[in-house]
């Protein structure tokens, strides 16, 4: 039997330790930087349906002081700083919901398309759908919350073909009529007019106008939420015993438009009405404890809103790693 002080055993143990140390050091030195990210989709069950969130890419809005109105610079900076958010650039996400009900494949909003009004990081919808294993040709319904560039911009390709050739399209009549009319859209928003006309007019014969309170597809109810645009609409989705409210642009920022929800947003058609709509809808969602999906909140945009003083706070939902 070899004792603990046996010289042969000590040499063997020291040699093994040295070999392990060299191997470990070599592994750390040789491992390459990967420089890649995981695919940008997230899938979960919603009652009897399967939901997938894909990304159209980050949307850098720019200086929050120029885009969110009604707060002093010091107050805004304090809100951002206390929530560990940058002071110089409001970075929004574009969380696109695709719902498989078992009988229909429904896409909610279509991103920016090829328009790079906010830089080159947008327009990734078709790429992330492919990563998620979803063929654009299988989309049965395209539901648009409103006709802004980052919500209707991905319906049509630059060559005039449809990205979702087999889909019916749904939007409020008020938004269609406003954003395709040169007499109504301000000249400063010419890119919004051009994008709406490019993406909506070729699909006029496929458009279905949705109304407030209408269950226009099984389990999908339209809720009018005007102010951000004249016909801005959010959607209450129900399947089995579960519900989810897709709030679209009811709030663009989880801090600046929630802590003090009467704060105004530069791109609102009617900022006062938008703020009142935000308070009314968020109050309902908080009281009824309905989960939300926010188009522009941090990926993947799922969570709850809760009352907090005179405003609200956003509580992100933990990601579900098992279907």
């Amino acid at each position: 039997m070899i004792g603990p002080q046996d010289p042969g055993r000590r040499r063997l143990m020291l040699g093994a330790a040295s070999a392990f140390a060299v191997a470990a050091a070599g592994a750390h030195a040789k491992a390459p930087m990967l420089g890649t990210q995981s695919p940008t989709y997230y899938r979960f069950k919603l009652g009897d349906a399967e939901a997938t969130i894909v990304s159209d890419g980050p949307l850098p809005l720019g200086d929050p002081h120029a885009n969110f109105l009604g707060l002093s610079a010091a107050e805004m900076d304090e809100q951002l700083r206390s929530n560990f958010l940058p002071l110089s650039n409001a970075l929004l996400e574009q969380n696109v919901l695709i719902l498989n009900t078992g009988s229909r494949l429904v896409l909610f909003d279509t991103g920016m398309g090829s328009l790079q009004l906010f830089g080159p990081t947008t327009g990734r919808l078709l790429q992330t759908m492919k990563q998620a294993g979803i063929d654009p040709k299988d989309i049965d319904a395209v539901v648009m919350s409103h006709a802004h560039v980052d919500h209707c911009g991905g319906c049509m390709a630059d060559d005039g073909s449809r990205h979702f050739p087999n889909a019916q399209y749904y939007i409020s009549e008020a938004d269609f009529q406003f954003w395709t009319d040169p007499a109504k859209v301000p000249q400063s928003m010419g890119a919004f007019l051009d994008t709406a006309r490019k993406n909506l007019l070729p699909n006029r014969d496929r458009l279905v106008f949705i109304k407030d309170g209408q269950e226009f597809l099984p389990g999908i109810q339209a809720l009018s939420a005007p102010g951000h645009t004249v016909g801005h609409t959010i959607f209450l989705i129900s399947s089995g015993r579960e519900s989810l409210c897709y709030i679209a642009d009811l709030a663009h920022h989880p801090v600046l438009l929630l802590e003090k929800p009467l704060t105004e947003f530069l791109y609102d058609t009617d900022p006062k009405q938008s703020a009142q709509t935000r308070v009314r809808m968020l109050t309902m969602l908080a009281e009824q404890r309905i989960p939300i999906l926010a188009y522009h909140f941090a990926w993947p945009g799922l969570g709850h809103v809760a009352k907090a003083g005179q405003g609200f706070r956003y509580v992100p939902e933990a990601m579900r790693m098992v279907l």
Side-chain angles (χ1 to χ4, degrees):
M1 183 174 185
I2 301 176
Q5 302 303 318
D6 183 272
R9 180 175 178 178
R10 285 201 303 274
R11 285 194 297 271
L12 180 63
M13 293 174 65
L14 289 170
S18 298
F20 176 79
V22 170
H28 283 295
K30 293 180 180 177
M33 299 284 188
L34 297 179
T36 57
Q37 188 54 277
S38 59
T40 41
Y41 72 90
Y42 173 56
R43 185 164 287 137
F44 61 99
K45 293 290 289 182
L46 181 67
D48 300 323
E50 182 179 80
T52 304
I53 301 173
V54 297
S55 175
D56 193 55
L59 192 159
L61 188 63
D63 182 4
H65 304 87
N67 288 285
F68 299 92
L69 312 174
L71 297 172
S72 69
E75 187 176 15
M76 183 178 295
D77 289 353
E78 176 56 29
Q79 285 191 27
L80 293 170
R81 191 180 292 110
S82 63
N83 286 276
F84 302 94
L85 294 171
L87 307 185
S88 59
N89 184 22
L91 182 64
L92 309 183
E93 297 295 334
Q94 295 182 98
N95 305 314
V96 178
L97 173 64
I98 301 174
L99 186 73
N100 188 338
T101 68
S103 60
R104 288 180 176 85
L105 195 59
V106 185
L107 171 69
F108 291 82
D109 288 330
T110 67
M112 290 279 291
S114 61
L115 181 66
Q116 295 193 351
L117 187 64
F118 297 96
T121 59
T122 63
R124 300 181 181 183
L125 176 60
L126 297 181
Q127 172 189 336
T128 56
M129 285 180 67
K130 182 178 180 180
Q131 291 174 344
I134 298 173
D135 190 332
K137 294 184 178 65
D138 293 336
I139 298 294
D140 300 298
V142 173
V143 176
M144 288 169 283
S145 59
H146 60 297
H148 272 181
V149 291
D150 52 330
H151 294 262
C152 76
C155 294
M156 302 294 294
D158 288 342
D159 64 5
S161 62
R162 293 183 175 92
H163 284 148
F164 313 104
N166 299 310
Q168 191 98 52
Y169 297 79
Y170 298 81
I171 197 171
S172 68
E173 185 174 11
D175 248 46
F176 174 80
Q177 298 293 355
F178 184 94
W179 291 101
T180 58
D181 187 345
K184 295 178 180 177
V185 178
Q187 288 187 356
S188 61
M189 302 188 79
F192 286 66
L193 171 69
D194 294 342
T195 299
R197 291 177 65 85
K198 170 188 173 182
N199 287 276
L200 298 181
L201 293 181
N203 293 303
R204 179 62 187 89
D205 61 336
R206 297 179 177 213
L207 276 177
V208 175
F209 293 136
I210 52 180
K211 296 179 172 58
D212 182 32
Q214 178 186 7
E215 185 176 329
F216 59 95
L217 289 170
I220 304 175
Q221 181 184 18
L223 300 176
S224 179
H228 178 54
T229 64
V230 293
H232 179 256
T233 304
I234 65 177
F235 302 97
L236 184 61
I237 303 165
S238 301
S239 179
R241 297 183 178 181
E242 295 190 65
S243 296
L244 174 70
C245 189
Y246 170 55
I247 68 168
D249 282 8
L250 187 67
H252 290 74
H253 198 281
V255 174
L256 298 178
L257 291 179
L258 263 64
E259 287 192 6
K260 292 196 171 181
L262 295 182
T263 302
E264 298 177 5
F265 182 58
L266 179 66
Y267 290 92
D268 286 341
T269 300
D270 186 335
K272 304 294 185 189
Q273 183 186 40
S274 180
Q276 293 298 327
T277 295
R278 181 161 48 251
V279 171
R280 175 169 53 87
M281 289 297 189
L282 292 180
T283 298
M284 179 269 292
L285 293 167
E287 289 177 348
Q288 298 187 22
R289 302 177 66 87
I290 297 173
I292 67 165
L293 169 57
Y295 186 75
H296 287 301
F297 287 10
W299 173 263
L302 290 168
H304 283 82
V305 287
K307 286 289 293 179
Q310 297 301 308
F312 303 87
R313 61 185 174 91
Y314 171 60
V315 184
E317 178 183 290
M319 294 181 71
R320 312 174 204 176
M321 304 310 293
V322 179
L323 278 176

